[in-house]
Amino acid sequence: MSEQMKVISAAKSHGGVQGVYSHASEACACDMNFAVFVPPQARETPCPVVWYLSGLTCTHANVMDKGEYRRMAAELGLIVVCPDTSPRGTDIPDEKDNWQFGGGAGFYVDATQAPYAKNYRMYSYITEELPALIAQEFPADMRRQAIFGHSMGGHGALTIALKNPERFKSCSAFAPIVQPATAGWSRPALEKYLGKDKASWRSYDATSLIEDGHRFPEFLIDQGTSDGFLNDGLRPWLLGAACAKAGIPLTLRMQDGYDHSYFFISTFMDDHLRWHAKRLSDAKAGA
Amino acid sequence: MSEQMKVISAAKSHGGVQGVYSHASEACACDMNFAVFVPPQARETPCPVVWYLSGLTCTHANVMDKGEYRRMAAELGLIVVCPDTSPRGTDIPDEKDNWQFGGGAGFYVDATQAPYAKNYRMYSYITEELPALIAQEFPADMRRQAIFGHSMGGHGALTIALKNPERFKSCSAFAPIVQPATAGWSRPALEKYLGKDKASWRSYDATSLIEDGHRFPEFLIDQGTSDGFLNDGLRPWLLGAACAKAGIPLTLRMQDGYDHSYFFISTFMDDHLRWHAKRLSDAKAGA
């Protein structure tokens, strides 16, 4: 292990190792934590990498504690990387009483507006800096990567996949924000991070990206019907319409009675990991 | 649902419902929270009940969040009840800086010493009051019950099973305190709850109970070899010796490289639930 990364904790779990690590992030100009599960297969051979992006208010720890991904990731031989959701630290601009902006609410964008542009660069962090560190420090086969996430992290997964289709073999989401440019809980954040000119928001909005010609082979989305944010913030049918128009296959499963919590996410975690493993495995066969 | 119980939260998960409830406990003379997972099978027929007792510092929430029991409990049709580990409240005697005594450290005893005797009656709470409430409020088949737990809760499971062999069809534990009367982290607590006369401690010590003639059909124990508490507080070989002498079959699995955390517990949760389900199912066939 190099000097670039500090081990916060490491515990054996399901035959692999669940670790939490810290490093000095250049993109976010602060120390950042992240969690990585390395499956037992990685002792023999590099394993594919699945990125899980978390939702508003979360750190790396929420899905690590409640996501129930290790059993299936160990079975399928997947490395699971769970980054934080924003820059952190006492000298980072924040609005502590606003859970939809600042700390825990990076929205996976590169902010262009002062004072946020210095730290809130989660897009570069997730797509460039952290992958380079993972490639260097873990037994990862970076030719095989997949991405998924929840809520704000579902938005992150969709937009990052649409902008980097050559990198990711598959993309899925739990209850994603599919059109942050018009959702009440994300519009104010985009305005503060990116400015008032809504043209600049389009590259961080899954439906706009598809309208503007970006493509991805297919998406899997699970959405609970009892999710309190369904009709206001999430509205998966907007992605359905964009995908239908663009000819992108979308498997949208409305899950009866499920809410927005990790009780929902953990229920369908196995399905998503199997979805990714199948496509990562096909990628290997075709490589 | 009666007036005896308040629903704190309820969420669909793995086809069942994970709830958190509150009630006014007579045994502990305070309001107590507990978590219950009801599997989908309970919509059709009463289901067996598995009790999970948690360790020091825990509430009902730790295993609910990190134990990863719902998928398998839903598959096997098991109700899982997760109580708190002590009485709670501002007027309850406590030692807030002592994690091995008071709040979060009830040790599943009925205290006899002032000022603890009024509230610290977790043995009666777990064996009498809470089962009566579960029987009344949930679709539970109380003729089929099993019990397990972790660390202090493993101690609770072992001692409660040994004292109530007619009630529980099976008992298992993760890294249990098998001889609290001599372990550094439990001896001071037993003295404060039960007094200086060590004779009174024997009915809350698994090895002493076995020495004193209590029996149970068999035990399953998983213990991590990298558990920092192994040689001081846990010492499963002491139970091994007592079981060997008494002719009680003990399946003690030393799990290489695992620690004391929920990363360890969740790894072997499926095995334990299957162990209990098999014995609960045999009990049904034989009923």
Side-chain angles (χ1 to χ4, degrees), chain B residues 76 78 272-284:
Chain B
L76 299 171
L78 302 173
H272 284 242
L273 290 175
R274 280 201 204 92
W275 163 281
H276 293 296
K278 182 176 184 332
R279 285 149 184 84
L280 291 163
S281 163
D282 290 351
K284 188 183 188 184

Side-chain angles (χ1 to χ4, degrees), chain B:
Chain B
M1 210 143 279
S2 80
E3 291 172 9
Q4 282 195 269
M5 193 174 84
K6 200 165 69 182
V7 180
I8 305 291
S9 65
K12 190 169 179 181
S13 193
H14 291 280
V17 176
Q18 178 64 63
V20 177
Y21 308 92
S22 175
H23 71 127
S25 164
E26 201 173 310
C28 298
C30 66
D31 286 347
M32 293 288 281
N33 294 334
F34 59 97
V36 179
F37 177 70
V38 176
Q41 293 87 339
R43 286 192 293 267
E44 306 293 329
T45 182
C47 290
V49 177
V50 182
W51 294 82
Y52 179 92
L53 304 185
S54 292
L56 286 165
T57 76
C58 289
T59 68
H60 65 281
N62 301 67
V63 68
M64 180 178 81
D65 289 345
K66 305 180 184 179
E68 304 191 9
Y69 58 75
R70 280 176 290 277
R71 188 188 61 87
M72 186 53 67
E75 184 177 321
L76 299 171
L78 302 173
I79 291 175
V80 181
V81 181
C82 306
D84 203 348
T85 58
S86 76
R88 305 280 181 178
T90 50
D91 55 345
I92 309 291
D94 196 2
E95 295 183 6
K96 292 212 180 297
D97 296 332
N98 183 355
W99 64 280
Q100 299 171 339
F101 185 76
F107 276 97
Y108 306 102
V109 305
D110 279 354
T112 56
Q113 307 298 299
Y116 310 112
K118 186 185 166 199
N119 306 104
Y120 286 84
R121 301 185 62 240
M122 288 300 291
Y123 182 80
S124 292
Y125 177 69
I126 298 291
T127 60
E128 293 173 27
E129 185 176 24
L130 193 53
L133 188 67
I134 297 295
Q136 181 180 306
E137 302 284 347
F138 294 89
D141 177 359
M142 301 302 280
R143 294 166 307 174
R144 293 188 288 152
Q145 294 184 61
I147 192 164
F148 69 150
H150 170 236
S151 196
M152 177 183 75
H155 143 71
L158 292 169
T159 52
I160 288 172
L162 282 163
K163 292 202 273 189
N164 301 274
E166 72 297 341
R167 182 186 302 181
F168 298 102
K169 306 303 178 200
S170 54
C171 174
S172 73
F174 304 102
I177 303 175
V178 305
Q179 195 174 85
T182 64
W185 60 3
S186 44
R187 215 173 46 231
L190 293 190
E191 185 168 325
K192 285 189 197 176
Y193 290 137
L194 303 173
K196 285 186 193 302
D197 177 8
K198 291 187 181 177
S200 69
W201 302 10
R202 296 186 67 81
S203 76
Y204 296 112
D205 180 295
T207 59
S208 300
L209 283 166
I210 293 171
E211 284 170 19
D212 293 348
H214 290 268
R215 293 292 179 268
F216 199 79
E218 56 179 332
F219 296 116
L220 166 66
I221 289 180
D222 276 313
Q223 170 65 56
T225 62
S226 298
D227 185 327
F229 303 110
L230 174 56
N231 294 309
D232 178 38
L234 302 173
R235 307 166 299 169
W237 45 86
L238 298 177
L239 185 69
C243 283
K245 202 167 168 189
I248 299 175
L250 168 66
T251 303
L252 171 57
R253 310 192 304 185
M254 298 302 291
Q255 301 288 2
D256 182 53
Y258 285 89
D259 66 13
H260 200 63
S261 73
Y262 276 94
F263 295 121
F264 155 65
I265 298 171
S266 60
T267 299
F268 300 103
M269 179 58 77
D270 282 6
D271 286 359
H272 284 242
L273 290 175
R274 280 201 204 92
W275 163 281
H276 293 296
K278 182 176 184 332
R279 285 149 184 84
L280 291 163
S281 163
D282 290 351
K284 188 183 188 184

Side-chain angles (χ1 to χ4, degrees), chain A residues 18 36 46 66 84 90 136 148 175 189 194 222 261 277:
Chain A
Q18 177 65 64
V36 178
K66 306 180 183 179
D84 202 348
T90 50
Q136 181 181 306
F148 69 150
L194 303 173
D222 276 313
S261 73

